[in-house]
Amino acid sequence: MAFELTIAEGKGRGQRFRFDAAETTIGRDPASDLVLSDPGVSRSHARIRRQGEAYLLFDGGSSNGTELNGSALREPAPLCDGDRIGVGPVVFEFAVREAPRTDAPTRISRALAEQATRISAAPAEDARQIAPRAGLPGSGGIAWFAGLPRWKRLAAFAAAGLLLIAFVRLAAGARQGPGTRCPEVVALDDETASYVFGHGAVDVDCGDSVRFGFNAPARTRVLFRYVPGHVATPSELELRLNGQHLAWSPVAASRGEMQVLPLPDELLAPDGRNLVSFAQGQPGKEFSVSKVRVELLARTPGDLSAAREAYERGRRKLEERRVAPRNLYDAWKSFALARRYLEGLAPRPPLHHEVVQLIEDAERELHRTCGKLLFTAARFERYGRADKAQTVYREVLLHFPGDDPSGCRKKAQAQLVSAGPQDGSAG
């Protein structure tokens, strides 16, 4: 028994791809059975597994999520004929076929013009940018590539591999000498959280260690956030702050849980220029860190009454988040303010733990909202509906009236042809 995936929406609409393996992987990783080279697709985005006479759809821990019939996939779900699977900018229609073909699975790849992995200027003087990645030369999209004869597709992959190897060697030599894959110091900014750093199946290969730089003004409380991956033992991946031991990363599979570390005041640099480093204790072993960012909290005198007031305001906004677009954002801001008042109390009351959890939940929902809106705008652009796309970008500004951890507002503003007074902004 085999199954087919037909592109129902996106580049290459109408193209069909048949698979008869026990498990089929979909993602940006070149080793996937179905490769989608798009920034909206994770390395291991989704997979389809055969169980008896049925097929199950799994999300591979993708950052943008996998959709089934327009809804986010929360847990493995059985597939039926006609089901639609959303993977980044492409929507596939699923169908079971009894007679499998003998040819190998077709891999999809789309070249990205001028696509670059960039880290903006770091506070440290030795920070550098990461050079652009190479795409498949001469590729004209999914339909063009998938329509080639098999021997031409294989030749294209081989040629692209040779060009990519040459490009990486030249770029590495131009940046920092032979063998170096990433900057000596990576600046922590709005873009950094979009990439996976480490060694192995990562966006930016840094060998056995990677350092992140950031500025922290005096009298500021600093929270360091990251998601570990491929950590097998409790004392395998060490975190150091300005050269001093900070913590050991917890054990994590391919993708762990978000870690939030309060940085000790005594280890922060007096001049505000700080470095957090990850060092792998076993040279050459795979590891990863993703969603890396710092959160700077102004020192606020402890005030339980003010914290409760901000907390109650946040709860009201959270309950009304379906009423007005900005209410979820306002709830997140209120919870963040409540936490600042609670941080100054010793010992911290039980409300502190609840507020921290509410902040994390609100940030996850904001991230999902951002992803759906930007995906819709990008789809309108692909179909030549620039006017509709601009409307969606302006809707983003309503949902995100100020800056947020995902940088959604900035991403939308960068795409707007013109931003008039109606866009609004939070103070």
Side-chain angles (χ1 to χ4, degrees), residues 335-357:
F335 293 141
L337 178 59
R339 181 177 59 184
R340 289 175 190 161
Y341 286 119
L342 293 169
E343 290 282 349
L345 297 175
R348 296 190 188 113
L351 182 61
H352 180 271
H353 177 75
E354 182 181 353
V355 166
V356 169
Q357 187 61 55

Side-chain angles (χ1 to χ4, degrees), residues 50-65:
R50 184 171 62 212
Q51 290 193 352
E53 297 298 311
Y55 286 96
L56 294 180
L57 174 65
F58 296 77
D59 178 65
S62 58
S63 40
N64 290 331

Side-chain angles (χ1 to χ4, degrees), residues 263-342:
L263 301 186
D265 293 346
E266 62 272 17
L267 295 185
L268 292 171
D271 64 357
R273 300 160 69 86
N274 297 277
L275 292 173
V276 172
S277 63
F278 290 83
Q280 171 60 264
Q282 302 178 29
K285 191 177 183 304
E286 183 177 11
F287 80 97
S288 68
V289 290
S290 59
K291 300 188 182 300
V292 183
R293 67 182 180 90
V294 290
E295 186 174 359
L296 304 179
L297 303 178
R299 294 287 183 181
T300 303
D303 189 330
L304 183 57
S305 176
R308 289 191 180 280
E309 183 180 343
Y311 164 79
E312 294 295 342
R313 183 168 60 252
R315 295 291 303 194
R316 289 195 300 272
K317 290 290 186 179
L318 192 63
E319 293 170 0
E320 298 170 357
R321 64 187 181 277
R322 308 298 181 196
V323 177
R326 65 174 290 160
N327 279 350
L328 177 61
Y329 175 88
D330 288 342
W332 170 72
K333 291 286 285 186
S334 294
F335 293 141
L337 178 59
R339 181 177 59 184
R340 289 175 190 161
Y341 286 119
L342 293 169

